[in-house]
Amino acid sequence: TAIALPVKAFGDLESHLIRFKALSNASNNEMNALRETAVKLGLSSQFNATEIAQTSVELTRMGFNATQTKEALAGVTFAAQASGESLNDISRVMGGVINAFGMTAKESTHVSDVLVKAANLSQASVSQMGISFRYVGSVAKSSNQSFEDTAGVLTALAKTGLSASMVGNHLQNMLLKLQAPTKMGKAAL
């Protein structure tokens, strides 16, 4: 039984990696690099390598390729650990933000820093910030608003006690109105 547990854990890890390979069409070299990253993060965080490999599957489902997934895992792991939320929830939030703002997976550590700080300052969770970003992310990007500025405005709005969906929806509507102001609004601008 002492050997059975590590063998099962290894089997679970490999099962997620096989699923990742099927979804991502990763090469053997990319798979080895991802396995190494999952094990390294599993040793240096509260999560194990199997959980991190499962998160790689979630990122791939969001359109990340093997290299992007490997690059994003450290930031996702940090944000999940700092926020106390699940790796899968955080991977969906961060993947959505990175995609909406046209950022690269290499920026995942920065994205996690901003999201965790915004959540802490606003009394919201990172997942709640993700809900707000789901409403406003693409509109903010098309309005030439940076991720950081958008996070700042969402933080300020979240402090008012509005729900995450209302915060994102209000900012989205405001930006849309600024993109297509009325005649009176154009004159004022």
Side-chain angles (χ1 to χ4, degrees):
T1 58
I3 293 176
L5 192 56
V7 170
K8 181 180 177 343
F10 178 77
D12 291 346
L13 171 64
E14 289 303 310
S15 172
H16 290 297
L17 291 174
I18 288 168
R19 191 172 313 135
F20 172 80
K21 184 172 184 166
L23 291 169
S24 69
N25 294 317
S27 70
N28 288 335
N29 287 340
E30 290 170 324
M31 288 303 299
N32 289 335
L34 181 69
R35 181 180 291 104
E36 184 179 313
T37 298
V39 169
K40 180 180 168 188
L41 289 170
L43 293 172
S44 64
S45 74
Q46 70 187 40
F47 304 104
N48 63 46
T50 301
E51 292 170 311
I52 293 167
Q54 183 180 12
T55 300
S56 70
V57 172
E58 290 299 321
L59 288 168
T60 301
R61 287 180 176 151
M62 296 190 74
F64 285 47
N65 65 32
T67 301
Q68 293 167 328
T69 297
K70 179 184 165 291
E71 292 170 348
L73 282 173
V76 170
T77 302
F78 168 79
Q81 188 163 300
S83 68
E85 298 178 61
S86 79
L87 279 167
N88 285 339
D89 289 346
I90 297 300
S91 69
R92 285 185 212 103
V93 170
M94 289 185 54
V97 167
I98 288 169
N99 287 336
F101 284 90
M103 301 169 85
T104 67
K106 286 182 182 179
E107 296 173 274
S108 71
T109 302
H110 172 68
V111 171
S112 70
D113 288 344
V114 172
L115 286 172
V116 169
K117 183 176 182 179
N120 287 339
L121 292 173
S122 68
Q123 305 162 5
S125 67
V126 173
S127 293
Q128 289 169 324
M129 295 300 291
I131 291 168
S132 296
F133 271 107
R134 238 181 275 147
Y135 281 91
V136 73
S138 59
V139 174
K141 172 69 174 167
S142 69
S143 300
N144 296 317
Q145 301 301 308
S146 71
F147 160 63
E148 297 81 3
D149 288 345
T150 304
V153 174
L154 290 175
T155 300
L157 289 172
K159 285 181 179 181
T160 66
L162 293 172
S163 70
S165 58
M166 288 181 72
V167 166
N169 197 10
H170 286 326
L171 183 55
Q172 176 193 45
N173 288 334
M174 182 184 77
L175 291 172
L176 287 171
K177 287 177 182 175
L178 287 172
Q179 285 179 352
T182 63
K183 288 179 184 180
M184 196 165 88
K186 281 184 184 180
L189 290 174

